[in-house]
Amino acid sequence: MGQPPEGKNGTKRDTIIASVTHPAPVLFPMPDTPLSLLNRVFGYPAFRGEQAAIVDTVAAGGDALVLMPTGGGKSLCYQIPALLREGCAVVVSPLIALMQDQVAALKELGIAAEFLNSSLDGATAAQVEREFVSGQLKLLYVAPERLLTPRFQSQLEQARVSLFAIDEAHCVSQWGHDFRPEYLGLSALHERFPDVPRIALTATADAATRAEILQRLDLGAARVFVASFDRPNIRYRIAEKSEPRRQLLDFLGEHRGEAGIVYCSTRKKVEETADALKRAGLTALAYHGGMDNDTRRRHQEKFLREDGVIMVATLAFGMGIDKPDVRFVAHLDLPRSVEGYYQETGRAGRDGEPAEAWMAWGLQDVVTQRRFIDEGDAEDAHKRIGHAKLDALVGLAEAASCRRVALLAYFGEASQACGNCDVCLNPPTLWDGTEAAQKLLSAVYRTGQRFGAGHVIDVLLGKTTEKIDRFGHSGLSVFGIGASQSDKVWRAVLRQLVVRGLLEVDHSAWGALKLTQAARPVLKGEETVMLRAIEVRPARKKSRLAPSSGAGVHDDEDPLFLSLRAWRRETANEKGVPAYVILHDATLREIAARRPATLAELGEISGLGTKKLEAYGEDVLGVVAEG
Ligand code: ADP
Ligand code: ZN
């Protein structure tokens, strides 16, 4: 077993790359280095962060575990070693759509890559298998269930494997949320092919999952690379819900013509929101688990392939979406945890260009989720975890200091105020809400802890309603003591008291508000309560004035950029690939800004390797000359 001897297939695999990418015959060809491949094949000037060290480790035959956030650049970590080493790299990936796009992108770069999964017909699959066994491929993407079949195992024996890359490695963890039983079988790879290096990659952070990956994949001797989980190009904004639909439309107005995802918690809300956006003249599509497979697939394709599509979706959408130019992710409902929020927002801005994560949340979100946790049939310990996770997220949403600091701290990473979140750009005003809190808590107490928010606020405001008459509440000492503040202010106070645990909402009593132990010191005047003032105007104007750390809002009106995009759309359609497989937005933008006149000038732009320059250089120069 193990590896066949050197040169078994009689060909040097490196020539596949060399022949397509060396521009002219070279008398003394220089051996490829990681950096030369990065420059020449991928068209990027430099490695990011730990990429270089990871590539060196794997290229030299060592094992690695890579933890890098979405958009960090994990693919290059195995693609470049695959080009440097003899043989074919086998990439295990659970996501079919992602495989197809990765392979299309690699082919665009002139790299011999294929995939094997259930979407191929028998004849095509057999052809790919032949190419693999006879040594014609540099990268082969395989679904885990196929990898473990006896048929493929015997092909692995016959082929020459340069390395195994295990993408989405957290799928091996039973405690994680994406557990895939087939991943457990992957430890067998090491037993059968002990000399082939392995690289496992994931964007899931916590220490427990990390340990489980190392153990279950038998990666005890692997070097572990942990990148920072910061995504500096993402601007975090969290707003209080007042009129969610209008707030969303305002936000989308700042992203006209850009692609993005709007998450809603229910199918019904997905449909309604998508319809409302369409009525507002936006290109929006719905996506949720209740739709038929065909429509769902069609919508996903459209989102991936066309420019500027807004996907309104439940959480069913997103895993394996590799689209680099998603410019925003909006949440119309609170996710369940900080991990969820981080993972979902992480789908924005994978290309490193400025992107926004925006969320609108309100008390009702918290109340609904608490009920959902309490009424579920999980064990108590699990319910406690559920509540704790929700608390952490609410803490982030309520934060009066930098969002990013709070987010990264959750993942155990210390950082400084970022200058690129709503709190940094537009610090909230705090006010001493002790007296207001006392009034509200008293109103809850005096009305007998039997009523919900609406009635308690009516009492504070001194309204005359049927209910107030019926219960004789106009005679209470608290009646009308809050009349100097608006209903809106009282709702904000109430929300903050609930999320801080001074008040709780009793679901078994139709949402009645009750005092908790934590309310006592406040009522007794032993504790001060600082509250966030409600936002009077959207953070938007200010944040535009203060772009920082390179992130700002693009001037997408540049006509040359738009012409380049139109050209790219046509080209992508002709080839039947997503637009970003041709060239990334960042590259188009740099072209529009620098207006190159020659191929040599064009070649200096990041994202244009030799192959792409050859394929599109003249066309692009043509567009620039006209624009
Ligand atoms: P991940 O799999 O970690 O989410 P990808 O491998 O898809 O990330 O990379 C995200 C984006 O960053 C891609 O568009 C990729 O081409 C780009 N990228 C990766 N490494 C570099 C680099 N060194 N220089 C410039 N762009 C890079
Ligand atoms: Zn900040």
Side-chain angles (χ1 to χ4, degrees):
M1 294 205 192
Q3 279 302 289
E6 290 277 321
K8 177 191 169 214
N9 297 318
T11 43
K12 274 206 76 196
R13 286 299 111 227
D14 297 355
T15 54
I16 290 175
I17 295 308
S19 63
V20 291
T21 47
H22 279 305
V26 183
L27 280 183
F28 304 101
M30 298 290 283
D32 277 320
T33 64
L35 189 61
S36 72
L37 287 172
L38 181 74
N39 300 155
R40 184 160 53 82
V41 179
F42 294 89
Y44 294 135
F47 282 109
R48 280 187 194 154
E50 299 265 47
Q51 275 177 336
I54 299 165
V55 167
D56 286 343
T57 300
V58 179
D63 293 342
L65 170 63
V66 174
L67 292 107
M68 222 185 244
T70 307
K74 286 187 283 300
S75 326
L76 285 182
C77 296
Y78 58 82
Q79 287 168 349
I80 290 188
L83 299 184
L84 284 164
R85 291 178 63 82
E86 280 198 36
C88 177
V90 173
V91 185
V92 186
S93 165
L95 308 158
I96 291 183
L98 196 119
M99 266 186 215
Q100 284 164 347
D101 286 352
Q102 289 251 7
V103 167
L106 287 168
K107 286 183 169 171
E108 272 294 306
L109 299 173
I111 297 169
E114 292 293 346
F115 61 80
L116 276 177
N117 62 38
S118 54
S119 74
L120 295 184
D121 61 68
T124 315
Q127 172 65 24
V128 170
E129 288 171 354
R130 272 195 302 278
E131 289 176 13
F132 171 54
V133 171
S134 65
Q136 296 172 52
L137 301 179
K138 285 311 286 178
L139 286 115
L140 177 65
Y141 286 72
V142 205
E145 55 277 11
R146 178 174 298 246
L147 183 81
L148 299 172
T149 59
R151 179 186 171 89
F152 193 74
Q153 288 286 318
S154 97
Q155 286 161 358
L156 281 176
E157 303 276 351
Q158 299 163 53
R160 178 172 176 76
V161 180
S162 59
L163 61 94
F164 289 110
I166 301 166
D167 208 0
E168 313 287 347
H170 60 280
C171 290
V172 78
S173 156
Q174 274 165 326
W175 305 113
H177 43 294
D178 298 325
F179 175 60
R180 305 237 170 184
E182 317 86 57
Y183 262 64
L184 292 176
L186 296 180
S187 61
L189 290 178
H190 185 46
E191 287 155 29
R192 295 187 68 153
F193 306 97
D195 301 328
V196 178
R198 290 167 306 152
I199 169 170
L201 311 104
T202 175
T204 296
D206 68 281
T209 312
R210 198 182 307 173
E212 210 181 336
I213 295 172
L214 290 173
Q215 185 233 324
R216 290 194 188 277
L217 291 179
D218 200 3
L219 277 169
R223 266 190 78 180
V224 179
F225 297 89
V226 185
S228 165
F229 274 69
D230 187 17
R231 302 282 312 275
N233 59 315
I234 299 183
R235 173 175 297 173
Y236 296 99
R237 287 166 61 183
I238 303 181
E240 288 150 28
K241 255 185 216 174
S242 51
E243 301 160 72
R245 188 67 54 74
R246 186 193 58 74
Q247 288 172 291
L248 177 66
L249 284 171
D250 281 354
F251 171 72
L252 296 178
E254 297 171 37
H255 290 276
R256 226 162 272 139
E258 296 179 344
I261 308 173
V262 177
Y263 282 115
C264 302
S265 59
T266 63
R267 295 170 180 183
K268 183 160 166 273
K269 192 158 170 187
V270 164
E271 299 278 354
E272 288 169 1
T273 308
D275 286 343
L277 298 189
K278 279 184 227 160
R279 279 199 304 278
L282 299 167
T283 315
L285 295 170
Y287 187 104
H288 60 67
M291 288 161 50
D292 66 273
N293 281 342
D294 237 30
T295 317
R296 237 184 15 218
R297 205 177 37 241
R298 208 157 30 78
H299 285 186
Q300 173 160 331
E301 285 284 278
K302 236 176 123 109
F303 176 71
L304 291 177
R305 291 182 182 218
E306 291 176 19
D307 286 324
V309 175
I310 301 172
M311 187 67 109
V312 186
T314 55
L315 296 183
F317 179 75
M319 166 100 169
I321 294 302
D322 200 15
K323 190 174 166 61
D325 55 356
V326 174
R327 294 270 66 86
F328 63 85
V329 169
H331 280 95
L332 272 187
D333 296 297
L334 204 60
R336 269 193 277 275
S337 62
V338 178
E339 288 98 326
Y341 173 77
Y342 180 79
Q343 197 171 50
E344 287 138 32
T345 54
R347 292 172 186 143
R350 293 169 73 116
D351 55 7
E353 294 280 290
E356 284 202 299
W358 178 88
M359 175 165 83
W361 74 292
L363 180 57
Q364 196 50 46
D365 290 310
V366 183
V367 172
T368 312
Q369 288 214 24
R370 291 227 185 280
R371 175 187 299 164
F372 191 75
I373 295 168
D374 285 334
E375 291 175 357
D377 39 34
E379 291 161 30
D380 282 355
H382 268 106
K383 288 185 177 172
R384 267 199 302 282
I385 294 173
H387 283 296
K389 291 199 162 189
L390 181 59
D391 286 343
L393 181 61
V394 169
L396 176 71
E398 278 283 333
S401 54
C402 178
R403 308 271 190 212
R404 194 178 313 270
V405 168
L407 193 57
L408 292 176
Y410 185 84
F411 294 114
E413 205 174 315
S415 63
Q416 305 279 319
C418 73
N420 191 29
C421 72
D422 54 354
V423 177
C424 282
L425 290 167
N426 203 8
T429 323
L430 296 181
W431 59 293
D432 184 343
T434 313
E435 197 186 314
Q438 287 168 340
K439 287 179 178 173
L440 200 146
L441 294 172
S442 307
V444 170
Y445 185 71
R446 298 279 169 212
T447 50
Q449 310 192 60
R450 297 164 51 204
F451 297 91
H455 182 70
V456 171
I457 290 174
D458 283 348
V459 170
L460 282 169
L461 293 173
K463 285 198 181 165
T464 42
T465 68
E466 181 274 327
K467 214 168 174 181
I468 285 184
D469 281 348
R470 180 150 42 104
F471 290 97
H473 282 166
S474 57
L476 296 177
S477 59
V478 290
F479 186 73
I481 54 167
S484 60
Q485 298 283 14
S486 69
D487 179 82
K488 211 169 161 190
V489 168
W490 283 118
R491 283 187 185 275
V493 174
L494 186 95
R495 193 195 67 245
Q496 296 183 64
L497 296 187
V498 172
V499 299
R500 288 172 196 200
L502 302 188
L503 279 176
E504 64 189 11
V505 179
D506 186 351
H507 316 304
S508 56
W510 297 282
L513 292 167
K514 300 209 150 105
L515 304 191
T516 66
Q517 283 301 321
R520 296 181 109 224
V522 174
L523 275 170
K524 287 193 190 153
E526 294 165 4
E527 213 167 76
T528 319
V529 183
M530 295 305 288
L531 297 175
R532 274 178 84 128
I534 45 176
E535 241 177 74
V536 260
R537 81 197 150 96
R540 171 185 165 190
K541 287 273 154 33
K542 266 201 181 165
S543 65
R544 284 199 177 226
L545 291 177
S548 71
S549 58
V553 179
H554 284 305
D555 189 6
D556 274 0
E557 305 305 310
D558 182 342
L560 180 52
F561 174 72
L562 295 178
S563 314
L564 287 164
R565 239 167 62 153
W567 163 80
R568 181 181 66 178
R569 190 174 323 124
E570 240 170 66
T571 313
N573 280 344
E574 275 165 26
K575 299 196 130 189
V577 296
Y580 57 79
V581 165
I582 306 290
L583 290 173
H584 284 182
D585 277 0
T587 306
L588 295 190
R589 239 174 227 123
E590 205 178 327
I591 297 171
R594 288 172 46 174
R595 301 181 167 262
T598 64
L599 280 176
E601 283 171 31
L602 188 61
E604 281 168 18
I605 285 168
S606 176
L608 275 158
T610 319
K611 191 74 206 263
K612 289 199 171 170
L613 207 55
E614 213 174 273
Y616 309 121
E618 295 294 347
D619 287 1
V620 169
L621 291 178
V623 178
V624 174
E626 276 172 34

